[in-house]
Amino acid sequence: MSEIDELVVSFIANVNINDDKTNEIAIKITNLIKHKKCKLVQIIVSLKDRFISEDEKERIKALKCLSSVLYNSEPDQLLKNDVSVIVNFYMSKITDNAVMLECFMGLNALMSMKYITIDETTKLLKFLQKDYQSKDYLAAVRNYPFEILLNVYNRWFTQLKDNKNFADLFIQTYISVASGEKDPRNLLISFQINKLIVTTFKVESFQFSQALFDILFSYFPITFKPPKDDPYRISNSDLKLALRSAISASDIFAQDAFSNLIDKLGATSPAIKNDTLLTLLACINKFGGKACIEFWLPMWTALKFEIMHGGDSSETYLDPLAENKSNDLITEGTTPQVSNLQSNYHLSLDILRALAYQLVELDESAFNKYVVHILDELKPNFEFTKDLRQSCNTLAAIGSANLITFNKVVDLALPLFLENTTEISKLKLMLLNLSYFLDSYIKVTKSLENDKEKLEDFIKNNHLNNSKDEILMILGMALTGNSKIEVTVRTLSVIQFTKMIKMEGYLTKEEMSLIIQYITETILTDNNKNIYCACLEGLKVISQTHEDLVYEVSLKELLNLLPNRFDELILYHKDDELIQVEVILKVILDFTTSRHVLIKESIVALSQKLTEVYITGDSEAVDYCFLILSTIYSLLDNNFAVLDENTVSEIKEQTEESLFSILKNNKGDNSILFDNQNLSLLSNILYFANVNFKRNQHQTELLRYTKLFVDTDKILENPSRLVLPYVKILSALDKDCKFDEASSVMERTVALIENSNKNAMTNLEKVGYMEMITILTNKWYNSNMESALIERYVNWDDQSTVNLEMIAWIGKGLIMKNSASSSIILSHFLELLNDKNIGIIVSKLFELFVVDINSMNKRKGITWTNNVKLLYKQKFFNDVFQNLVTSYKAPNLSLDIKCNYLTALSLILKHTPNKLVEQFMVDLLPMLLQALEMPNSEVRISALDTLKDTTEKFGLLITENIDTLIPLLLKLVVPGSKFNDVLVRLLSLQLLGLLATSVPLNYLKPYKEEVINGLLLTLSDKKRVVRKQCIDTRQIYFELGQVPFE
Amino acid sequence: MSITLAKGIKLQNDKTWSLDYKCTPFSNLLAVASTDRKIKILNIKPNGTKLEDVLDGTVHRKAVRSVAWRPNTDINTATLAAGSFDSTVSIWTKEIVGNDQEMDDESMDEEGIEMDLLAIIEGHENEVKCVAWSFDGNLLATCSRDKSVWIWETDEMGEEYECVSVLQEHSQDVKHVVWHPSRSLLASSSYDDTIRLWKEYDDDWECVAVLTGHEGTVWSSDFEGSNTDQLQEDEIRLVSVSDDSTARVWKYVEEDEENDGQQVWICQSILPKVHANQVYSVSWSPISGRIATSGSDGTLVIYQESERGSGTFEVVAQKELCHGVYEVNIVKWIDVEGKEMIATGGDDGYVNLWNINE
Amino acid sequence: MSDYLNENPDVIDVDELPSRKEDSNELFENFGSKEAIERKKLLLKIDHSPKSQVLHDIELLDKLLLLNNTPDLISDTESLPSENDSDTNEFQIRGSEDSNITDEYADEPADPVDVQEIYDLTAHICDPEHPLTLGQLSIVNMPDIEVHDDGNPNHLAQIVIRITPTITHCSLATLIGLGIRVRLERALPPRFRITILVKKGTHNSEQQVNKQLNDKERVAAACENEQLLGVVSKMLQTCK
């Protein structure tokens, strides 16, 4: 038996059993032929008995074999007569339905062969057109005719273009094959071929355009849910897009497409409407102005409805404030369908815009007819101020096509409403309407982004320029000429101002400065929330493009306004408005966000101001300084990410001197040094100034500062408040710096603390020195020095609060770097919780381990400051949690000891991210519930705090315990009973309220009455906050399971 | 004279609207109507009060506004009428089996009283505000926000109710109806600020007098009555209380010559003003002849007439906030084994029993 | 919103409604040292964001400073708060509710119920036909609210509210009044007696409306009317 026969046999053996194998064999055979080791005929010979076998399975296998071979052959492999022989062979088999698939497979392969002839192709096409009944076959089979057509198209591309008959045959074949196709995969190809036809052999196929279109449109709109196990992963949108691009492929469809789509616009389903609009848009852009001429009118008529009734859009007016406006009037308008309508509303406008563009491109008079007609229809709306928003939106949309349309619309529409009026409601409308035309300007410029000279042309020649001065004037009047009560008008005018600045090339520098001035004045003198937001937004937007201008006109102004004395009233130069310092600082803080120059300048200027205030100021100044310090601090903290090394370094160089001068010379009553909060703020500012300071300078800085504080100021000889700035700087500096004095500093610090009662160390100083211990432990004691450290400084015999606290701080330093030796301290602390006398103190100290101190926190991109392991809290929590729980559950434990465990636990929880707590919740919850009964408001508070998070995160768990929780809470809300202090009452009420959101109604409903009555006493709580919360919570329960009447 | 709390009984969280008292050989029954739709039956004893029964709360779909015991039934049955905001009236009954004459309290207590629903009367368009039995127990009067008073005739058993008359002269809600303790004379009080008196003329009921004078809704009224027959034949008096915070005593003068069938009434006196706000309830004791009032200000006031019939009343005792800070909807004189007490019901859901100490 | 502004120009912007200025700070009264509280109040003037690091640091420093003070040893021997009988079993004898009042509470300064508080309770009720609040529509106004209260939990107190319907024939006046009454009866302790009146000369049938709004029986019945209650609770949804 020849090799070829063997291969054939094993192929047959594997058909439908091992497809990879068969494929592999097929390739082998093909290669044999390729290398002339055998002839194709031989295969046919070795298969011929099977070809004519009675058993159709045999026939199938045989054909499959042959087809696979062909499938793997190169197009030029088969010679002329091979091809014709085999084609004829297949054509003879093709009437055998059983083997249709295999036939098609083979023929498909043949169709792209080099030596295939037109006649043979035609033969096949004729068969497909006349004798082949697609509906009789499965999708897999039906797929081949499409493939074949595609191959034919590619193979005979040129012929198809010249030879009309051939082309017609091709098209007719397609039509008969494609009609009634349902399979998504096949449809994709069908659409593709359809598109090829109409785009490539246009003219000839005119007679068929109707049929071709019908094939497509019979599927419109496509609503198709892909089956889960679809091997081809065809999505609804794949089909939608394919269909859309086919329908909009050529303007020979224009007539049919437009008229049909316009009908479909009547659809009620927003989804369908959406599809229709998108398709329509595509068609307009593809078919061009000529096709649009006879259709724009019916389209407009159809769209008018959509536009006038669609989209109640509050957003378009007050977008900058969208979020804080939206909650003002929550009517409907938030449901998905509506948002869908929204987009349909805007789509409709886009279509009008597209029409305008196409028409004007075609010829201007056509466009004029279009725009004038629409305008005439809308004119009445302007007279009777009806649907004004939609009307202006429409015109503006038309204008936004290009320069010509824009000018046309501006010329026609602006006169209709642009007039300065003192009538507030009118003015309001006018501003709203104007905004659309400003948007339209922006749209045009955006569309010309890549066409510089067109853009220039537009900027130079748009007719809005003519009204610029008027608009500026009106807006200015609206803003400054009206009393503050006219919030909306003023807000709108600010918003329009902002828009105008966004308008590329519209305003001159001078005009912008003027606007910036307006806005700055407004934000300072008007304390209305909305206006404030609008102004802020304005300043931010302008800063993005004209930071320098904002700095010159606004920020400088603001900084200059700051007085030297707090009690000084700032008389604002314009109208005699009085402004408060706070307002200025707030503004600076709010609008400089993430703009290098502004931030830097603010910080520098503020630092200088600080010194001036400090020098000239009196006791009043302390608060003023506090405000300035807070501002600087916040600026640094909020913008940490954007402040690069250079900026920071500049800041440090320009501010440090003045800041230090403040620390050094202390005048009595306004001293910053002696004001706890101010000193801590200032110290933190120094931290920021150093963290991102030039890395290579840290070493020298470390030495310099140490000299300064330790040697000059002697902060280690006697308690000094200057320890605070020093320790903050230390934690900022690179931990890799060499710090020989570290251990001696440690030594002396500990000493200072140990006889703190003798050396009259103040609490603040103590905090400073304690932090010092943590920092040193953390940064300059590496793991092999740690045991020595503990050996040296951790003394358990001394149970004084101070000593315990110190140990805790050492512990903190170790825990932060996940040091093994931290466990020694931890386990001891856990034992101490059980101690009658000091247990309660220890329990409080547990908070230290996890409390976040800003200067010690891990910061993105900062690796050099402290040793802070990412998950140290997780580790810590896992270490202590079980222990705490088990000790707490220990039998016959006295209540106050239980209390200690609980306090420790809840203090830890307060600073532990919830996701770490989750897994422990089941054990935790019972404890928390008990905690609510502890005779200690602190514990109750922390338990309540934790429970609040729990309720939000683990509703189910809470639901299971609802029957114990609610009665407990109802006890805690009772005013005046022991340990229910204000916060306990308040939190309990809030928690009760939360339950309604996280516990399923059917579980909560049974408690409705009980809660409503249980809250009765609290209604007369002394504290208004509590009363208010009580009322709200009670209201929630009144509404439980009650449907508001619509 | 002083008023002291004998006992406060919390029956529910919602308002206590109305109560009525009836002595039977074996127990002194106090029926209580409230917003929670559950009528409560208490047994009042000098040595202790006991909740005998809570009637099915599903019979009425809204608050029960008014309850009244049927008088003059045979001693072994207790029949109760209850009017509700759900516009229906329910009739409840109970055979009190005296299996043994000298039955002691214990066994009585164990047995308790359980009442069964006997009938549901429908007819009013909306909320029924009050129900009242004629002295002979044959007639039941009911009134409603629908501005009408209906008079129903019933049989021995109290199972069948036939409407014998619908009185529609009031121009607004009728808040309260009460029968004369010994005549077939009916008084109805209304939101239209008037009181109307009704009498039967050849088996139809007619308005015989309209008492005007109150400057606000008249909430309730009560006839003077006496178990000792000091009252002369034609001596009829009525006390009424109103939104206008006053209580007035009205006196029958004579038949009206001009228009026959009509009666002439005068306002004999306005009781000394004590109440600050609305007065909701009044009760005229047949034993002591004293008048008790209560209302929105939570004060319980007792008036005494200097000399019977004189029309000059004085305040002999008052108790402020007798239901805490809550309003007091109902006041009633009760006779607990020869001792005269007062029962009150308030918005706090309590029923309070008061001792009157001479 | 602008649509509404177009329709009825005389709508007051929510932020313009009279409100209690120090509200935002009230919470602070509950923790921290005087100094810290003062500073926080000051800070609030320039920075509202709850994540303000300055705010955290103020609290942190305060915490650390207090930590040093020897902690106040609470009398742990104190037994749990004794049951107070506000529970609701069927049959029970009256006991004095407000018995175990602690000295701490007794000493706490009290915030009186004042006109502003009543205003805040009612001004945010939603008008039954506009999506605007009674405050915005000036149906309830500060000057038309009277509060007579000596703050003693055992004394009665009076509240009088005069409402100004938007139109003199406004059929919804009663509904609005009902809404206000329900709101206040739910929000105020039972010792308050509430009188709701239509402001003189603002409504054609002043008398009837007033009489209805203050007839407890009618109100009670109305509150058992599911549908009516539905409307009301819709009106109340904007309060919170």
Side-chain angles (χ1 to χ4, degrees), chain C residues 49-69:
Chain C
S49 73
K51 3 182 250 318
S52 154
Q53 190 57 47
V54 179
L55 186 69
H56 288 222
D57 280 21
I58 295 175
E59 280 165 5
L60 174 64
L61 182 62
D62 208 41
K63 189 198 298 290
L64 295 179
L65 289 174
L66 294 177
L67 190 71
N68 282 284
N69 303 350

Side-chain angles (χ1 to χ4, degrees), chain C residues 20-28 44 48:
Chain C
R20 198 181 300 280
K21 287 290 158 284
E22 70 277 17
D23 257 0
S24 46
N25 303 347
E26 278 198 7
L27 258 179
F28 291 153
L44 257 184
H48 272 291

Side-chain angles (χ1 to χ4, degrees), chain A residues 929 932-933 944 947 951 958-974 988-989 991-996 998-1015 1033 1037 1040, chain C residues 86:
Chain A
L929 292 176
L932 294 183
E933 299 191 275
L944 283 166
L947 277 167
T951 314
I958 291 291
T959 309
E960 291 161 1
N961 295 271
I962 193 83
D963 52 338
T964 37
L965 182 55
I966 287 189
L968 277 174
L969 291 176
L970 287 180
K971 278 184 202 155
L972 296 191
V973 300
V974 177
S988 313
L989 288 165
L991 185 46
L992 274 168
L994 269 180
L995 292 179
S998 50
V999 173
L1001 183 61
N1002 52 328
Y1003 287 88
L1004 200 58
K1005 195 87 180 298
Y1007 297 90
K1008 182 172 177 169
E1009 291 303 312
E1010 187 179 344
V1011 173
I1012 289 178
N1013 294 311
L1015 294 185
T1033 306
Y1037 279 81
L1040 263 195
Chain C
S86 60

Side-chain angles (χ1 to χ4, degrees), chain A residues 253-463:
Chain A
F253 288 157
Q255 287 288 339
D256 302 310
F258 280 145
S259 48
N260 281 291
L261 287 168
I262 291 171
D263 293 347
K264 281 271 188 288
L265 277 179
T268 47
S269 139
I272 294 183
K273 201 172 252 173
N274 195 266
D275 194 4
T276 315
L277 288 167
L278 284 164
T279 316
L280 195 53
L281 190 54
C283 289
I284 294 170
N285 291 330
K286 270 302 198 51
F287 300 168
K290 221 160 171 326
C292 296
I293 285 189
E294 67 177 288
F295 284 101
W296 63 259
L297 186 51
M299 283 190 218
W300 158 244
T301 340
L303 293 172
K304 197 165 47 184
F305 178 87
E306 184 63 38
I307 293 171
M308 293 305 162
H309 300 76
D312 147 37
S313 45
S314 43
E315 28 90 76
T316 37
Y317 304 161
L318 303 162
D319 14 55
L321 326 170
E323 60 280 6
N324 56 28
K325 265 277 148 275
S326 57
N327 52 26
D328 275 6
L329 293 170
I330 291 167
T331 46
E332 57 286 333
T334 42
T335 59
Q337 302 94 306
V338 179
S339 63
N340 202 331
L341 282 177
Q342 283 284 7
S343 65
N344 283 354
Y345 172 75
H346 294 300
L347 260 178
S348 314
L349 294 174
D350 293 345
I351 290 180
L352 293 179
R353 176 171 186 249
L355 281 171
Y357 183 82
Q358 295 301 340
L359 290 169
V360 80
E361 289 292 298
L362 180 68
D363 84 86
E364 200 162 334
S365 66
F367 166 72
N368 290 343
K369 275 208 202 65
Y370 168 73
V371 68
V372 170
H373 175 89
I374 293 181
L375 187 76
D376 291 344
E377 280 197 35
L378 296 181
K379 264 211 182 86
N381 295 357
F382 285 88
E383 288 163 39
F384 312 115
T385 61
K386 166 174 165 301
D387 299 334
L388 261 189
R389 194 184 76 245
Q390 294 91 327
S391 308
C392 290
N393 217 341
T394 309
L395 293 168
I398 294 170
S400 57
N402 66 13
L403 177 59
I404 305 165
T405 66
F406 184 80
N407 287 341
K408 188 79 182 175
V409 167
V410 167
D411 298 341
L412 291 173
L414 245 47
L416 292 179
F417 66 90
L418 187 63
E419 52 159 338
N420 194 5
T421 166
T422 50
E423 211 179 312
I424 289 306
S425 57
K426 260 184 143 178
L427 187 56
K428 216 176 275 167
L429 276 181
M430 204 273 291
L431 295 176
L432 292 173
N433 301 333
L434 179 61
S435 69
Y436 294 107
F437 296 90
L438 304 185
D439 289 332
S440 159
Y441 180 107
I442 295 173
K443 248 217 178 90
V444 181
T445 46
K446 280 245 172 3
S447 67
L448 298 178
E449 262 171 347
N450 311 325
D451 188 339
K452 279 290 156 262
E453 78 202 48
K454 268 223 177 95
L455 183 59
E456 286 314 314
D457 177 36
F458 177 81
I459 289 170
K460 217 182 292 100
N461 303 323
N462 76 79
H463 292 184

